[in-house]
PDB file of all heavy atoms in Angstrom:
ATOM      1  N   LEU A   1      60.408 133.526 109.983  1.00 97.00           N
ATOM      2  CA  LEU A   1      59.396 132.897 110.836  1.00 97.00           C
ATOM      3  C   LEU A   1      58.012 133.510 110.600  1.00 97.00           C
ATOM      4  O   LEU A   1      57.014 132.794 110.600  1.00 97.00           O
ATOM      5  CB  LEU A   1      59.792 133.036 112.307  1.00 97.00           C
ATOM      6  CG  LEU A   1      61.141 132.402 112.684  1.00 97.00           C
ATOM      7  CD1 LEU A   1      61.472 132.689 114.141  1.00 97.00           C
ATOM      8  CD2 LEU A   1      61.131 130.900 112.413  1.00 97.00           C
ATOM      9  N   SER A   2      57.977 134.813 110.415  1.00 97.00           N
ATOM     10  CA  SER A   2      56.726 135.487 110.072  1.00 97.00           C
ATOM     11  C   SER A   2      57.075 136.814 109.410  1.00 97.00           C
ATOM     12  O   SER A   2      58.165 137.360 109.624  1.00 97.00           O
ATOM     13  CB  SER A   2      55.848 135.716 111.310  1.00 97.00           C
ATOM     14  OG  SER A   2      56.534 136.483 112.278  1.00 97.00           O
ATOM     15  N   ALA A   3      56.162 137.307 108.610  1.00 97.00           N
ATOM     16  CA  ALA A   3      56.433 138.553 107.880  1.00 97.00           C
ATOM     17  C   ALA A   3      55.123 139.228 107.508  1.00 97.00           C
ATOM     18  O   ALA A   3      54.077 138.572 107.380  1.00 97.00           O
ATOM     19  CB  ALA A   3      57.259 138.279 106.623  1.00 97.00           C
ATOM     20  N   GLU A   4      55.204 140.531 107.350  1.00 97.00           N
ATOM     21  CA  GLU A   4      54.072 141.330 106.865  1.00 97.00           C
ATOM     22  C   GLU A   4      54.590 142.293 105.805  1.00 97.00           C
ATOM     23  O   GLU A   4      55.653 142.895 105.976  1.00 97.00           O
ATOM     24  CB  GLU A   4      53.416 142.103 108.006  1.00 97.00           C
ATOM     25  CG  GLU A   4      52.252 142.972 107.527  1.00 97.00           C
ATOM     26  CD  GLU A   4      51.601 143.777 108.644  1.00 97.00           C
ATOM     27  OE1 GLU A   4      52.327 144.120 109.602  1.00 97.00           O
ATOM     28  OE2 GLU A   4      50.401 144.066 108.562  1.00 97.00           O
ATOM     29  N   PHE A   5      53.832 142.424 104.720  1.00 97.00           N
ATOM     30  CA  PHE A   5      54.191 143.398 103.687  1.00 97.00           C
ATOM     31  C   PHE A   5      52.941 144.187 103.335  1.00 97.00           C
ATOM     32  O   PHE A   5      51.883 143.619 103.069  1.00 97.00           O
ATOM     33  CB  PHE A   5      54.742 142.706 102.435  1.00 97.00           C
ATOM     34  CG  PHE A   5      55.544 143.623 101.568  1.00 97.00           C
ATOM     35  CD1 PHE A   5      56.918 143.697 101.706  1.00 97.00           C
ATOM     36  CD2 PHE A   5      54.935 144.452 100.634  1.00 97.00           C
ATOM     37  CE1 PHE A   5      57.667 144.572 100.932  1.00 97.00           C
ATOM     38  CE2 PHE A   5      55.665 145.332  99.869  1.00 97.00           C
ATOM     39  CZ  PHE A   5      57.037 145.384 100.014  1.00 97.00           C
ATOM     40  N   VAL A   6      53.074 145.512 103.381  1.00 96.00           N
ATOM     41  CA  VAL A   6      51.963 146.403 103.039  1.00 96.00           C
ATOM     42  C   VAL A   6      52.277 147.053 101.696  1.00 96.00           C
ATOM     43  O   VAL A   6      53.216 147.840 101.581  1.00 96.00           O
ATOM     44  CB  VAL A   6      51.743 147.470 104.119  1.00 96.00           C
ATOM     45  CG1 VAL A   6      50.577 148.379 103.727  1.00 96.00           C
ATOM     46  CG2 VAL A   6      51.488 146.819 105.471  1.00 96.00           C
ATOM     47  N   ASN A   7      51.507 146.666 100.671  1.00 95.00           N
ATOM     48  CA  ASN A   7      51.710 147.160  99.304  1.00 95.00           C
ATOM     49  C   ASN A   7      50.473 147.924  98.859  1.00 95.00           C
ATOM     50  O   ASN A   7      49.369 147.375  98.861  1.00 95.00           O
ATOM     51  CB  ASN A   7      51.982 145.983  98.366  1.00 95.00           C
ATOM     52  CG  ASN A   7      52.054 146.385  96.901  1.00 95.00           C
ATOM     53  OD1 ASN A   7      51.344 145.839  96.070  1.00 95.00           O
ATOM     54  ND2 ASN A   7      52.901 147.340  96.585  1.00 95.00           N
ATOM     55  N   ALA A   8      50.666 149.207  98.527  1.00 92.00           N
ATOM     56  CA  ALA A   8      49.563 150.066  98.082  1.00 92.00           C
ATOM     57  C   ALA A   8      48.425 150.077  99.100  1.00 92.00           C
ATOM     58  O   ALA A   8      47.245 150.085  98.742  1.00 92.00           O
ATOM     59  CB  ALA A   8      49.050 149.609  96.715  1.00 92.00           C
ATOM     60  N   GLY A   9      48.790 150.050 100.383  1.00 94.00           N
ATOM     61  CA  GLY A   9      47.801 150.132 101.445  1.00 94.00           C
ATOM     62  C   GLY A   9      47.179 148.812 101.839  1.00 94.00           C
ATOM     63  O   GLY A   9      46.440 148.747 102.830  1.00 94.00           O
ATOM     64  N   LYS A  10      47.472 147.728 101.120  1.00 95.00           N
ATOM     65  CA  LYS A  10      46.914 146.424 101.439  1.00 95.00           C
ATOM     66  C   LYS A  10      47.945 145.575 102.162  1.00 95.00           C
ATOM     67  O   LYS A  10      49.090 145.467 101.718  1.00 95.00           O
ATOM     68  CB  LYS A  10      46.443 145.704 100.172  1.00 95.00           C
ATOM     69  CG  LYS A  10      45.730 144.389 100.465  1.00 95.00           C
ATOM     70  CD  LYS A  10      45.154 143.764  99.201  1.00 95.00           C
ATOM     71  CE  LYS A  10      44.406 142.474  99.522  1.00 95.00           C
ATOM     72  NZ  LYS A  10      43.822 141.854  98.305  1.00 95.00           N
ATOM     73  N   SER A  11      47.534 144.985 103.293  1.00 96.00           N
ATOM     74  CA  SER A  11      48.457 144.220 104.116  1.00 96.00           C
ATOM     75  C   SER A  11      48.401 142.734 103.784  1.00 96.00           C
ATOM     76  O   SER A  11      47.326 142.154 103.622  1.00 96.00           O
ATOM     77  CB  SER A  11      48.115 144.428 105.594  1.00 96.00           C
ATOM     78  OG  SER A  11      48.906 143.589 106.411  1.00 96.00           O
ATOM     79  N   TYR A  12      49.589 142.131 103.692  1.00 96.00           N
ATOM     80  CA  TYR A  12      49.718 140.687 103.495  1.00 96.00           C
ATOM     81  C   TYR A  12      50.582 140.143 104.632  1.00 96.00           C
ATOM     82  O   TYR A  12      51.655 140.677 104.902  1.00 96.00           O
ATOM     83  CB  TYR A  12      50.387 140.370 102.154  1.00 96.00           C
ATOM     84  CG  TYR A  12      49.672 140.954 100.958  1.00 96.00           C
ATOM     85  CD1 TYR A  12      50.007 142.219 100.472  1.00 96.00           C
ATOM     86  CD2 TYR A  12      48.668 140.243 100.309  1.00 96.00           C
ATOM     87  CE1 TYR A  12      49.352 142.757  99.373  1.00 96.00           C
ATOM     88  CE2 TYR A  12      48.003 140.780  99.207  1.00 96.00           C
ATOM     89  CZ  TYR A  12      48.354 142.030  98.745  1.00 96.00           C
ATOM     90  OH  TYR A  12      47.704 142.561  97.653  1.00 96.00           O
ATOM     91  N   GLN A  13      50.094 139.105 105.298  1.00 97.00           N
ATOM     92  CA  GLN A  13      50.835 138.510 106.408  1.00 97.00           C
ATOM     93  C   GLN A  13      51.070 137.027 106.145  1.00 97.00           C
ATOM     94  O   GLN A  13      50.274 136.365 105.474  1.00 97.00           O
ATOM     95  CB  GLN A  13      50.071 138.694 107.718  1.00 97.00           C
ATOM     96  CG  GLN A  13      49.964 140.140 108.181  1.00 97.00           C
ATOM     97  CD  GLN A  13      49.215 140.262 109.493  1.00 97.00           C
ATOM     98  OE1 GLN A  13      48.260 139.532 109.752  1.00 97.00           O
ATOM     99  NE2 GLN A  13      49.655 141.188 110.341  1.00 97.00           N
ATOM    100  N   ALA A  14      52.180 136.522 106.680  1.00 97.00           N
ATOM    101  CA  ALA A  14      52.522 135.118 106.483  1.00 97.00           C
ATOM    102  C   ALA A  14      53.319 134.613 107.665  1.00 97.00           C
ATOM    103  O   ALA A  14      53.971 135.382 108.377  1.00 97.00           O
ATOM    104  CB  ALA A  14      53.325 134.946 105.202  1.00 97.00           C
ATOM    105  N   MET A  15      53.277 133.298 107.872  1.00 97.00           N
ATOM    106  CA  MET A  15      54.107 132.680 108.902  1.00 97.00           C
ATOM    107  C   MET A  15      54.477 131.272 108.462  1.00 97.00           C
ATOM    108  O   MET A  15      53.787 130.646 107.648  1.00 97.00           O
ATOM    109  CB  MET A  15      53.390 132.648 110.247  1.00 97.00           C
ATOM    110  CG  MET A  15      52.318 131.599 110.357  1.00 97.00           C
ATOM    111  SD  MET A  15      51.660 131.484 112.042  1.00 97.00           S
ATOM    112  CE  MET A  15      50.707 129.966 111.921  1.00 97.00           C
ATOM    113  N   TRP A  16      55.584 130.788 109.015  1.00 97.00           N
ATOM    114  CA  TRP A  16      56.019 129.420 108.763  1.00 97.00           C
ATOM    115  C   TRP A  16      55.282 128.491 109.717  1.00 97.00           C
ATOM    116  O   TRP A  16      55.223 128.741 110.919  1.00 97.00           O
ATOM    117  CB  TRP A  16      57.523 129.303 108.973  1.00 97.00           C
ATOM    118  CG  TRP A  16      58.029 127.884 108.909  1.00 97.00           C
ATOM    119  CD1 TRP A  16      58.289 127.063 109.961  1.00 97.00           C
ATOM    120  CD2 TRP A  16      58.329 127.137 107.725  1.00 97.00           C
ATOM    121  NE1 TRP A  16      58.741 125.848 109.509  1.00 97.00           N
ATOM    122  CE2 TRP A  16      58.769 125.859 108.136  1.00 97.00           C
ATOM    123  CE3 TRP A  16      58.273 127.423 106.364  1.00 97.00           C
ATOM    124  CZ2 TRP A  16      59.147 124.871 107.232  1.00 97.00           C
ATOM    125  CZ3 TRP A  16      58.653 126.438 105.465  1.00 97.00           C
ATOM    126  CH2 TRP A  16      59.078 125.192 105.889  1.00 97.00           C
ATOM    127  N   PHE A  17      54.703 127.427 109.154  1.00 95.00           N
ATOM    128  CA  PHE A  17      53.994 126.462 109.994  1.00 95.00           C
ATOM    129  C   PHE A  17      54.401 125.057 109.587  1.00 95.00           C
ATOM    130  O   PHE A  17      54.301 124.681 108.418  1.00 95.00           O
ATOM    131  CB  PHE A  17      52.478 126.616 109.846  1.00 95.00           C
ATOM    132  CG  PHE A  17      51.692 125.618 110.655  1.00 95.00           C
ATOM    133  CD1 PHE A  17      51.672 125.678 112.043  1.00 95.00           C
ATOM    134  CD2 PHE A  17      50.960 124.616 110.021  1.00 95.00           C
ATOM    135  CE1 PHE A  17      50.948 124.758 112.793  1.00 95.00           C
ATOM    136  CE2 PHE A  17      50.232 123.690 110.765  1.00 95.00           C
ATOM    137  CZ  PHE A  17      50.226 123.757 112.150  1.00 95.00           C
ATOM    138  N   GLN A  18      54.885 124.300 110.551  1.00 89.00           N
ATOM    139  CA  GLN A  18      55.268 122.912 110.322  1.00 89.00           C
ATOM    140  C   GLN A  18      54.650 122.043 111.411  1.00 89.00           C
ATOM    141  O   GLN A  18      55.033 122.126 112.583  1.00 89.00           O
ATOM    142  CB  GLN A  18      56.790 122.748 110.323  1.00 89.00           C
ATOM    143  CG  GLN A  18      57.249 121.336 110.005  1.00 89.00           C
ATOM    144  CD  GLN A  18      58.747 121.257 109.787  1.00 89.00           C
ATOM    145  OE1 GLN A  18      59.471 122.235 109.959  1.00 89.00           O
ATOM    146  NE2 GLN A  18      59.218 120.095 109.382  1.00 89.00           N
ATOM    147  N   PRO A  19      53.693 121.212 111.046  1.00 83.00           N
ATOM    148  CA  PRO A  19      53.042 120.359 112.055  1.00 83.00           C
ATOM    149  C   PRO A  19      54.055 119.428 112.715  1.00 83.00           C
ATOM    150  O   PRO A  19      55.019 118.985 112.086  1.00 83.00           O
ATOM    151  CB  PRO A  19      52.016 119.567 111.237  1.00 83.00           C
ATOM    152  CG  PRO A  19      51.836 120.343 109.976  1.00 83.00           C
ATOM    153  CD  PRO A  19      53.151 121.014 109.709  1.00 83.00           C
ATOM    154  N   SER A  20      53.844 119.147 113.977  1.00 77.00           N
ATOM    155  CA  SER A  20      54.708 118.202 114.666  1.00 77.00           C
ATOM    156  C   SER A  20      54.343 116.778 114.273  1.00 77.00           C
ATOM    157  O   SER A  20      53.241 116.522 113.781  1.00 77.00           O
ATOM    158  CB  SER A  20      54.572 118.376 116.185  1.00 77.00           C
ATOM    159  OG  SER A  20      53.216 118.173 116.575  1.00 77.00           O
ATOM    160  N   GLY A  21      55.283 115.871 114.459  1.00 66.00           N
ATOM    161  CA  GLY A  21      55.005 114.470 114.163  1.00 66.00           C
ATOM    162  C   GLY A  21      55.460 114.070 112.770  1.00 66.00           C
ATOM    163  O   GLY A  21      56.153 114.818 112.068  1.00 66.00           O
ATOM    164  N   THR A  22      55.054 112.869 112.339  1.00 62.00           N
ATOM    165  CA  THR A  22      55.449 112.310 111.048  1.00 62.00           C
ATOM    166  C   THR A  22      54.227 111.834 110.285  1.00 62.00           C
ATOM    167  O   THR A  22      53.136 111.691 110.851  1.00 62.00           O
ATOM    168  CB  THR A  22      56.418 111.130 111.241  1.00 62.00           C
ATOM    169  OG1 THR A  22      55.773 110.133 112.057  1.00 62.00           O
ATOM    170  CG2 THR A  22      57.694 111.583 111.935  1.00 62.00           C
ATOM    171  N   ASP A  23      54.436 111.563 108.988  1.00 59.00           N
ATOM    172  CA  ASP A  23      53.334 111.055 108.174  1.00 59.00           C
ATOM    173  C   ASP A  23      53.261 109.534 108.282  1.00 59.00           C
ATOM    174  O   ASP A  23      53.955 108.909 109.093  1.00 59.00           O
ATOM    175  CB  ASP A  23      53.478 111.506 106.721  1.00 59.00           C
ATOM    176  CG  ASP A  23      54.794 111.035 106.097  1.00 59.00           C
ATOM    177  OD1 ASP A  23      55.417 110.107 106.652  1.00 59.00           O
ATOM    178  OD2 ASP A  23      55.190 111.595 105.062  1.00 59.00           O
ATOM    179  N   ALA A  24      52.442 108.917 107.427  1.00 58.00           N
ATOM    180  CA  ALA A  24      52.246 107.464 107.484  1.00 58.00           C
ATOM    181  C   ALA A  24      53.525 106.694 107.193  1.00 58.00           C
ATOM    182  O   ALA A  24      53.692 105.561 107.645  1.00 58.00           O
ATOM    183  CB  ALA A  24      51.152 107.065 106.495  1.00 58.00           C
ATOM    184  N   GLN A  25      54.443 107.294 106.436  1.00 60.00           N
ATOM    185  CA  GLN A  25      55.704 106.636 106.105  1.00 60.00           C
ATOM    186  C   GLN A  25      56.807 106.919 107.134  1.00 60.00           C
ATOM    187  O   GLN A  25      57.949 106.522 106.940  1.00 60.00           O
ATOM    188  CB  GLN A  25      56.190 107.074 104.709  1.00 60.00           C
ATOM    189  CG  GLN A  25      55.387 106.489 103.554  1.00 60.00           C
ATOM    190  CD  GLN A  25      54.023 107.130 103.414  1.00 60.00           C
ATOM    191  OE1 GLN A  25      53.866 108.334 103.603  1.00 60.00           O
ATOM    192  NE2 GLN A  25      53.017 106.306 103.100  1.00 60.00           N
ATOM    193  N   GLY A  26      56.458 107.639 108.198  1.00 62.00           N
ATOM    194  CA  GLY A  26      57.446 107.945 109.222  1.00 62.00           C
ATOM    195  C   GLY A  26      58.337 109.126 108.880  1.00 62.00           C
ATOM    196  O   GLY A  26      59.344 109.370 109.536  1.00 62.00           O
ATOM    197  N   ILE A  27      57.984 109.879 107.845  1.00 65.00           N
ATOM    198  CA  ILE A  27      58.764 111.053 107.432  1.00 65.00           C
ATOM    199  C   ILE A  27      58.206 112.290 108.133  1.00 65.00           C
ATOM    200  O   ILE A  27      56.986 112.459 108.257  1.00 65.00           O
ATOM    201  CB  ILE A  27      58.707 111.236 105.899  1.00 65.00           C
ATOM    202  CG1 ILE A  27      59.257 109.989 105.207  1.00 65.00           C
ATOM    203  CG2 ILE A  27      59.481 112.475 105.469  1.00 65.00           C
ATOM    204  CD1 ILE A  27      59.108 110.019 103.693  1.00 65.00           C
ATOM    205  N   ALA A  28      59.098 113.150 108.604  1.00 64.00           N
ATOM    206  CA  ALA A  28      58.670 114.365 109.306  1.00 64.00           C
ATOM    207  C   ALA A  28      57.739 115.195 108.427  1.00 64.00           C
ATOM    208  O   ALA A  28      57.945 115.321 107.210  1.00 64.00           O
ATOM    209  CB  ALA A  28      59.892 115.186 109.700  1.00 64.00           C
ATOM    210  N   SER A  29      56.701 115.739 109.037  1.00 72.00           N
ATOM    211  CA  SER A  29      55.725 116.549 108.303  1.00 72.00           C
ATOM    212  C   SER A  29      56.397 117.759 107.672  1.00 72.00           C
ATOM    213  O   SER A  29      57.271 118.385 108.276  1.00 72.00           O
ATOM    214  CB  SER A  29      54.616 117.005 109.253  1.00 72.00           C
ATOM    215  OG  SER A  29      53.974 115.900 109.848  1.00 72.00           O
ATOM    216  N   LYS A  30      55.984 118.066 106.447  1.00 80.00           N
ATOM    217  CA  LYS A  30      56.564 119.206 105.742  1.00 80.00           C
ATOM    218  C   LYS A  30      55.952 120.516 106.237  1.00 80.00           C
ATOM    219  O   LYS A  30      54.772 120.579 106.571  1.00 80.00           O
ATOM    220  CB  LYS A  30      56.343 119.063 104.236  1.00 80.00           C
ATOM    221  CG  LYS A  30      57.144 117.946 103.595  1.00 80.00           C
ATOM    222  CD  LYS A  30      56.948 117.935 102.085  1.00 80.00           C
ATOM    223  CE  LYS A  30      57.790 116.845 101.433  1.00 80.00           C
ATOM    224  NZ  LYS A  30      57.615 116.818  99.956  1.00 80.00           N
ATOM    225  N   GLY A  31      56.769 121.540 106.261  1.00 87.00           N
ATOM    226  CA  GLY A  31      56.293 122.859 106.643  1.00 87.00           C
ATOM    227  C   GLY A  31      56.083 123.727 105.425  1.00 87.00           C
ATOM    228  O   GLY A  31      56.479 123.382 104.299  1.00 87.00           O
ATOM    229  N   GLY A  32      55.467 124.873 105.628  1.00 91.00           N
ATOM    230  CA  GLY A  32      55.239 125.810 104.537  1.00 91.00           C
ATOM    231  C   GLY A  32      54.785 127.147 105.086  1.00 91.00           C
ATOM    232  O   GLY A  32      54.568 127.309 106.295  1.00 91.00           O
ATOM    233  N   TYR A  33      54.629 128.122 104.194  1.00 95.00           N
ATOM    234  CA  TYR A  33      54.176 129.454 104.590  1.00 95.00           C
ATOM    235  C   TYR A  33      52.685 129.597 104.330  1.00 95.00           C
ATOM    236  O   TYR A  33      52.171 129.198 103.278  1.00 95.00           O
ATOM    237  CB  TYR A  33      54.964 130.535 103.840  1.00 95.00           C
ATOM    238  CG  TYR A  33      56.387 130.664 104.345  1.00 95.00           C
ATOM    239  CD1 TYR A  33      57.438 130.065 103.659  1.00 95.00           C
ATOM    240  CD2 TYR A  33      56.661 131.344 105.525  1.00 95.00           C
ATOM    241  CE1 TYR A  33      58.740 130.157 104.136  1.00 95.00           C
ATOM    242  CE2 TYR A  33      57.956 131.437 106.010  1.00 95.00           C
ATOM    243  CZ  TYR A  33      58.988 130.846 105.305  1.00 95.00           C
ATOM    244  OH  TYR A  33      60.273 130.931 105.790  1.00 95.00           O
TER     245      TYR A  33
END
């Protein structure tokens, strides 16, 4: 769902985000990091 990695003192953060609803074709919106 979310993660942080600190490599050589530099922090990288990420989270999963998937918009609610559907696109123009009625397909559920795709999620990503």
Side-chain angles (χ1 to χ4, degrees):
L1 301 176
S2 58
E4 179 181 30
F5 200 94
V6 180
N7 174 235
K10 185 174 182 179
S11 174
Y12 303 91
Q13 293 181 324
M15 76 173 191
W16 172 262
F17 178 69
Q18 184 171 5
S20 59
T22 58
D23 59 18
Q25 287 74 38
I27 301 174
S29 302
K30 291 184 178 180
Y33 287 100

